[in-house]
């Protein structure tokens, strides 16, 4: 097969699997096979840039950086919707419709998806642009980011596709994906995302589309807009969109008369808790497009559609006690313990109070009557206090000063919303948390130990920290509950295998506060070994003072210099530097590291890793743009491995622009204006 056909056929095949998986929830290929074919396609595309196509499935991985989102005027205004909060409102609306367009009306009832609204543009069956709603007249061009959302078709199918049209929908983050993202945040000690809606709309405005690609976003479509669309009703429009490859949720229903509408509302008010994503209501639309035209728009919204908002269930109850929960990273969450109360079919006894600021803002006190809501948030929350009913002897809440698990005085760092318990060596949830983090997939990746096993091992007193893992013996673990010969052997083999895990992941696994995966990588590449990272700079002797106090000041002076030194590492801020210095000067941590070293853990970059590194690009700043033979990630890595810095946008500080195929004209213009040296991929490779 000639390369052109081969590329085409791979693209079609991958497109079909993508469609089956992301739009129809149906797997038709293993992940492994899919990745293999995708890799094959990428290699072919790199060898044949002349067949570049922005709708190729290979663009899903992202990589394009948007520094400033371009403002785009909507061709068709994006209206909002009138809201109704009661069935009477809906009935009144229907009566008004009858007066205007007659009695015999059908409606399409849809769910109101709670995410970020989006307008997608297609030309000749290809995705060309995505724009946020903005103020309704103009929004932001978020094409690069939306392209990475797998359920957005880049190439449509069918033979009745209008040459040019727009389709509206909502970008949402399904609960599953949202919870997974939060699990990772939690493992890294980062503050959790509050709700899927904000996380979805925040994702659209990220600068790095590769990050967007990694988020499990979904795109649900509900309205076609354009001239000469090949159908006469909203319902046919939804069916057509589905045929062309869009994800149109199956709940949308055609009903006749208001009774059908009210039936749909009742059904989904109850059933919505089982949906994979958040919904806050129903949208009812007049089915016939001709009727829609007759009804037209008010200044703000269409007359032919009406949203019905499910009531955010709010109930009042009494606050009995505020307790404090210690997370696995030591973060403290205040919890309201409530007189049990029923909300949407579940009994609620506890609600989150988030942090000290939230308590202060609500001025919430024990004994208060409070309003609890279970909205789009994961955990119920307290939204208000009934001040009129506050007992006369009520006292302001004083936030906890000590850890409820271990008694250590709590700390709150500047800029952090939450307090934390600094006793990470002994505080029980933290002991388990640190071990779990250490063995997690992105750190030491120790197969064969789950979180229950960690609990068991800690509770049996077999391990107190991650270094203890490497002293575990078969005879010690086999008596544990539910431990079979095979699982015990797997566990020990997993521990043994982790001795090969590269330094940067070991560093991440140590669980230094604020040192996530990326920071660990940066530090590992900069220092190349744990010894270098831990070495405190020597400071000149101070002859004036007596020996003891001079030792003390020398120590703190050399720590101060270490702080300085760390802050000069690209992208290491003051907060991270402080946390690192605190860690590497803590005797207990030093002992753990010594023990890990003695067990044979990797504490420096391997020779192989070192050989691909140099300081050839030290101090040089690069911007990359366009499509390259090697992957963008490899290119970035090559720059960083050789001491250079990659930034996402051109500025007077940029030294080189590495220019790939299909580079955007605006970048080119800007680079020329700033007189930035442009080099090709080949020229770059010569530099390193
Ligand atoms: P609002 O923001 O309350 O005025 O509601 C209008 C928004 O609801 C629109 O901008 C859409 O983003 C969103 N929406 C969600 N689901 C639908 C749907 N099925 N039909 C129309 N709009 C919807
Ligand atoms: Zn504690």
């Amino acid at each position: 097969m000639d390369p052109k056909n081969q590329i085409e056929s791979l693209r079609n095949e991958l497109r079909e699997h993508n469609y089956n998986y992301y739009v129809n929830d149906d797997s038709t290929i293993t992940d492994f096979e899919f990745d293999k074919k995708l890799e094959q396609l990428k290699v072919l595309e790199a060898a044949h840039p002349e067949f570049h196509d922005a709708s190729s499935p290979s663009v899903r991985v992202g990589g394009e950086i948007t520094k400033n989102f371009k403002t785009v005027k909507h061709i068709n205004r994006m209206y909002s919707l009138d809201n109704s909060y009661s069935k009477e409102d809906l009935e009144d609306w229907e009566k008004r419709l009858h007066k205007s367009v007659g009695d015999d009306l059908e409606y399409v009832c849809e769910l109101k998806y709670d995410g970020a609204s989006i307008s997608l543009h297609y030309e000749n069956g290809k995705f060309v642009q995505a724009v946020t709603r903005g103020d309704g007249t103009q929004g932001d061009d978020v094409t690069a980011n939306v392209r990475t959302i797998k359920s957005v078709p880049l190439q449509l199918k069918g033979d009745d596709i209008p040459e040019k049209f727009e389709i509206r929908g909502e970008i949402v983050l399904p609960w599953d994906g949202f919870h997974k993202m939060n699990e990772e945040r939690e493992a890294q000690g980062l503050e959790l995302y509050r709700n899927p809606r904000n996380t979805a709309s925040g994702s659209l405005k990220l600068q790095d589309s590769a990050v967007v690609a990694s988020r499990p976003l979904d795109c649900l479509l509900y309205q076609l807009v354009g001239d000469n669309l090949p159908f006469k009703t909203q319902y046919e429009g939804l069916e057509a969109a589905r045929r062309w490859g869009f994800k149109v949720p199956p709940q949308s229903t055609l009903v006749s008369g208001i009774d059908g509408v009210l039936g749909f509302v009742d059904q989904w008010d109850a059933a919505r808790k089982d949906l994979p994503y958040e919904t806050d209501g129903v949208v009812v639309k007049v089915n016939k497009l001709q009727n829609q035209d007759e009804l037209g728009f008010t200044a703000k919204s269409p007359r032919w559609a009406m949203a019905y908002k499910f009531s955010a269930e709010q109930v009042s109850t009494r606050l009995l006690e505020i307790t404090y929960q210690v997370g696995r990273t030591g973060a403290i969450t205040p919890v309201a313990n409530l007189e049990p109360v029923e909300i949407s079919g579940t009994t609620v006894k506890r609600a989150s109070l988030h942090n000290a600021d939230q308590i202060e803002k609500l001025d919430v006190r024990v004994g208060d009557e409070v309003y609890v809501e279970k909205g789009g948030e994961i955990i119920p929350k307290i939204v208000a206090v009934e001040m009129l009913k506050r007992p006369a002897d009520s006292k302001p809440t004083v936030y906890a000063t000590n850890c409820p698990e271990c008694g250590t005085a709590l700390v709150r760092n500047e800029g952090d919303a939450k307090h934390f318990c600094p006793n990470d060596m002994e505080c029980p949830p933290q002991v388990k948390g640190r071990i779990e983090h250490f063995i997690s997939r992105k750190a030491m990746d120790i197969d064969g130990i789950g979180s229950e096993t960690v609990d068991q091992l800690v509770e049996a007193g077999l391990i107190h920290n991650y270094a203890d893992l490497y002293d575990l013996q078969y005879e010690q673990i086999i008596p544990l509950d539910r431990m079979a010969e095979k699982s015990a052997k797997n566990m020990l083999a997993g521990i043994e295998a982790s001795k090969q895990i590269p330094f940067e992941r070991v560093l991440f696994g140590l669980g230094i506060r604020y040192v996530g995966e990326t920071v660990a990588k940066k530090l590992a590449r900069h220092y190349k070994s744990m010894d270098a990272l831990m070495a405190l700079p020597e400071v000149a002797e101070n002859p004036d003072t007596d020996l003891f106090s001079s030792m003390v000041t020398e120590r703190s002076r050399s720590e101060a210099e270490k702080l300085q030194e760390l802050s000069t590492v690209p992208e290491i801020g003051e907060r991270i530097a402080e946390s690192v210095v605190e860690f590497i000067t803590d005797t207990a941590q030093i002992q753990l590291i010594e023990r890990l070293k003695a067990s044979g853990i990797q504490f420096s970059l391997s020779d192989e890793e070192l050989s691909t590194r140099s300081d050839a690009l030290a101090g040089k700043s690069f911007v990359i743009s366009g499509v390259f033979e090697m992957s963008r990630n490899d290119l970035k890595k090559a720059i960083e491995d050789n001491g250079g810095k990659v930034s996402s946008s051109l500025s007077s500080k940029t030294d080189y622009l590495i220019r790939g195929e299909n580079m955007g004209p605006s970048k080119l213009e800007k680079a020329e204006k700033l007189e930035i040296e442009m080099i090709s991929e080949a020229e770059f490779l010569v530099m390193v």
Side-chain angles (χ1 to χ4, degrees):
M1 219 190 296
D2 70 81
K4 180 159 194 259
N5 284 334
Q6 212 179 343
I7 288 178
E8 246 342 284
S9 108
L10 273 170
R11 280 177 183 162
N12 285 335
E13 196 182 338
L14 290 172
R15 210 169 264 145
E16 195 57 29
H17 291 306
N18 253 338
Y19 173 79
N20 290 339
Y21 188 73
Y22 290 103
V23 180
N24 278 349
D25 284 332
D26 178 18
S27 298
T28 43
I29 189 171
T30 63
D31 289 355
F32 177 73
E33 278 294 315
F34 186 92
D35 290 343
K36 218 168 74 184
K37 288 185 193 271
L38 184 63
E39 205 40 53
Q40 217 177 337
L41 173 62
K42 282 196 207 151
V43 170
L44 280 167
E45 286 181 334
H48 297 278
E50 67 274 24
F51 304 134
H52 172 82
D53 181 349
S55 343
S56 168
S58 61
V59 307
R60 299 286 195 189
V61 292
E64 197 171 325
I65 306 284
T66 316
K67 191 79 191 183
N68 291 305
F69 294 92
K70 200 171 70 193
T71 306
V72 178
K73 202 164 166 351
H74 291 298
I75 303 169
N76 302 287
R77 192 175 147 183
M78 288 180 87
Y79 286 90
S80 46
L81 290 170
D82 273 343
N83 282 315
S84 53
Y85 296 92
S86 69
K87 293 188 172 166
E88 290 72 45
D89 283 355
L90 274 179
E91 284 168 335
D92 288 346
W93 172 64
E94 218 244 348
K95 283 189 195 126
R96 291 201 300 277
L97 293 179
H98 284 180
K99 277 195 197 135
S100 317
V101 287
D103 280 341
D104 194 19
L105 291 180
E106 283 183 330
Y107 304 96
V108 179
C109 298
E110 298 166 13
L111 295 175
K112 190 166 190 292
Y113 320 112
D114 202 10
S117 35
I118 196 80
S119 155
L120 308 177
H121 293 262
Y122 286 81
E123 278 172 30
N124 303 314
K126 285 185 190 293
F127 168 72
V128 291
Q129 195 179 39
V131 188
T132 63
R133 179 163 97 169
D135 64 2
T137 7
Q138 53 183 35
D140 292 319
D141 184 330
V142 289
T143 310
N145 285 343
V146 169
R147 217 196 288 284
T148 66
I149 300 174
K150 318 284 184 302
S151 54
V152 171
L154 301 180
Q155 162 95 58
L156 303 178
K157 41 191 192 179
D159 46 19
D160 58 341
I161 304 164
E163 196 184 313
K164 204 172 165 173
F165 70 94
E166 180 180 346
I167 186 165
R168 305 247 169 103
E170 201 86 357
I171 308 274
V172 300
L173 184 57
W175 285 116
D176 256 6
F178 175 72
H179 292 317
K180 254 185 226 126
M181 284 173 68
N182 264 347
E183 275 161 26
E184 287 187 9
R185 305 267 302 172
E186 171 131 58
Q188 296 181 18
L190 298 170
E191 179 132 15
L192 301 191
Y193 295 117
R194 284 274 183 89
N195 62 53
R197 184 196 338 106
N198 292 351
T199 316
S201 58
S203 301
L204 292 184
K205 300 297 284 291
L206 291 173
Q207 295 186 351
D208 185 350
S209 63
V211 179
V212 186
S214 74
R215 295 192 170 180
L217 298 164
D218 209 347
C219 180
L220 310 176
L221 284 314
Y222 54 70
Q223 194 91 38
L224 282 152
V225 187
D227 300 326
N228 302 322
L229 296 172
F231 45 82
K232 293 196 165 63
T233 65
Q234 163 70 6
Y235 199 69
E236 286 162 10
L238 295 180
E239 287 179 323
R242 207 174 270 138
R243 251 193 343 265
W244 297 339
F246 291 104
K247 188 162 189 173
V248 177
Q251 292 83 13
S252 306
T253 307
L254 183 63
V255 303
S256 52
I258 188 74
D259 290 343
V261 171
L262 298 180
F264 185 89
V265 166
D266 281 340
Q267 181 192 348
W268 287 105
D269 197 356
R272 63 181 156 134
K273 59 177 189 304
D274 303 321
L275 288 168
Y277 39 77
E278 172 76 0
T279 157
D280 60 346
V282 163
V283 183
V284 187
K285 297 172 185 171
V286 172
N287 191 35
K288 276 206 185 103
L289 299 190
Q290 191 198 330
N291 290 150
Q292 291 190 4
D293 279 346
E294 285 160 9
L295 287 161
F297 296 83
T298 67
K300 250 184 72 242
S301 45
R303 288 200 188 83
W304 45 264
M306 179 63 85
Y308 172 86
K309 291 254 168 129
F310 295 131
S311 42
E313 279 138 301
Q314 235 183 46
V315 292
S316 70
T317 186
R318 191 157 304 283
L319 172 59
L320 303 176
E321 189 190 6
I322 297 177
T323 52
Y324 298 84
Q325 215 171 37
V326 188
R328 304 215 138 191
T329 57
I332 307 292
T333 305
V335 177
N337 294 263
L338 307 165
E339 206 157 89
V341 65
E342 186 92 353
I343 312 183
S344 55
T346 51
T347 306
V348 172
K349 291 185 214 139
R350 287 146 60 88
S352 170
L353 283 165
H354 299 305
N355 53 45
D357 291 345
Q358 180 72 4
I359 291 179
E360 200 174 318
K361 201 170 105 200
L362 291 168
D363 181 24
V364 59
R365 306 177 184 187
V366 169
D368 276 345
E369 187 170 324
V370 294
Y371 290 93
V372 185
E373 191 176 292
K374 195 162 184 237
E377 318 282 314
I378 3 179
I379 322 170
K381 62 174 180 183
I382 292 182
V383 287
V385 174
E386 184 56 271
M387 291 294 174
L388 295 175
K389 294 197 188 158
R390 172 166 281 173
D393 60 351
S394 138
K395 292 196 186 58
T397 300
V398 180
Y399 202 79
T401 51
N402 292 76
C403 174
E405 297 273 351
C406 72
T408 307
L410 299 180
V411 178
R412 185 183 192 179
N413 286 343
E414 215 176 292
D416 275 0
K418 290 202 167 183
H419 287 68
F420 74 95
C421 164
N423 182 17
D424 59 348
M425 286 289 182
E426 285 150 68
C427 186
Q430 295 191 66
V431 167
K432 293 178 185 170
R434 282 191 72 187
I435 299 172
E436 276 186 13
H437 172 72
F438 183 78
I439 63 179
S440 67
R441 199 169 42 82
K442 290 184 173 167
M444 304 304 276
D445 193 21
I446 303 186
D447 268 350
I449 311 187
S451 71
E452 297 90 59
T453 320
V454 172
D455 288 358
Q456 260 185 319
L457 290 168
V458 172
E459 272 149 33
L462 292 178
I463 57 175
H464 308 90
N465 52 56
Y466 39 61
D468 289 346
L469 285 170
Y470 296 89
D471 296 338
L472 280 175
Q473 303 292 326
Y474 180 80
E475 302 73 51
Q476 293 178 299
I477 50 180
I478 198 74
L480 291 178
D481 254 8
R482 292 182 311 260
M483 184 63 71
E485 190 180 321
K486 183 153 177 265
S487 42
K489 283 191 174 146
N490 272 347
M491 183 167 143
L492 292 174
I495 293 174
E496 189 59 32
S498 73
K499 295 179 181 170
Q500 303 310 320
I501 294 290
F503 173 43
E504 53 189 45
R505 283 170 57 188
V506 176
L507 188 55
F508 170 58
L510 294 179
I512 307 173
R513 192 171 294 272
Y514 310 128
V515 178
E517 231 186 319
T518 329
V519 171
K521 237 181 236 173
K522 299 240 150 83
L523 287 172
R525 291 189 188 158
H526 184 86
Y527 282 100
K528 303 183 174 64
S529 73
M530 196 65 194
D531 287 342
L533 173 62
M534 292 177 76
L536 293 177
E538 293 208 15
V539 289
E541 271 177 55
N542 189 341
D544 296 340
T545 38
D546 65 85
L547 190 62
F548 178 73
S549 70
S550 96
M551 269 166 65
V552 173
T553 50
E554 235 170 71
R555 169 142 200 99
S556 56
R557 275 172 54 211
S558 88
E559 279 175 26
E561 290 208 4
K562 186 76 190 180
L563 259 181
Q564 270 284 313
E565 175 195 302
L566 274 158
S567 315
T568 62
V569 180
E571 283 159 84
I572 303 299
E574 199 179 326
R575 192 168 76 148
I576 300 172
E578 259 166 31
S579 164
V580 170
V581 170
E582 199 180 307
F583 193 94
I584 61 174
T585 53
D586 184 313
T587 338
Q589 311 285 15
I590 296 173
Q591 274 171 7
L592 284 186
I593 292 168
E594 288 307 327
R595 286 182 56 204
L596 288 175
K597 256 188 211 163
S599 308
I601 307 293
Q602 306 296 319
F603 274 111
S604 55
L605 295 181
S606 66
D607 292 342
E608 189 199 325
E609 285 169 307
L610 280 173
S611 68
T612 58
R613 285 155 212 272
S614 74
D615 290 326
L617 308 178
K620 298 283 183 235
S621 161
F622 290 79
V623 168
I624 53 189
S625 178
V627 184
F628 300 93
E629 296 259 334
M630 63 205 285
S631 80
R632 287 176 79 103
N633 277 341
D634 288 347
L635 189 56
K636 274 190 200 160
K637 188 163 175 292
I639 296 171
E640 283 166 359
D641 284 352
N642 290 289
K645 196 171 157 257
V646 186
S647 73
S648 53
S649 71
L650 291 166
S651 74
S652 55
K653 294 202 190 84
T654 312
D655 295 295
Y656 297 99
L657 171 66
I658 311 183
R659 207 181 144 173
E661 292 283 329
N662 284 307
M663 188 179 126
S666 62
K667 266 227 168 98
L668 193 61
E669 201 178 301
K670 188 158 177 201
E672 276 164 0
K673 208 163 99 198
L674 292 169
E675 298 183 339
I676 289 162
E677 185 168 345
M678 283 188 259
I679 56 173
S680 67
E681 185 175 2
E683 285 168 313
F684 167 75
L685 290 175
V686 172
M687 287 171 81
V688 301

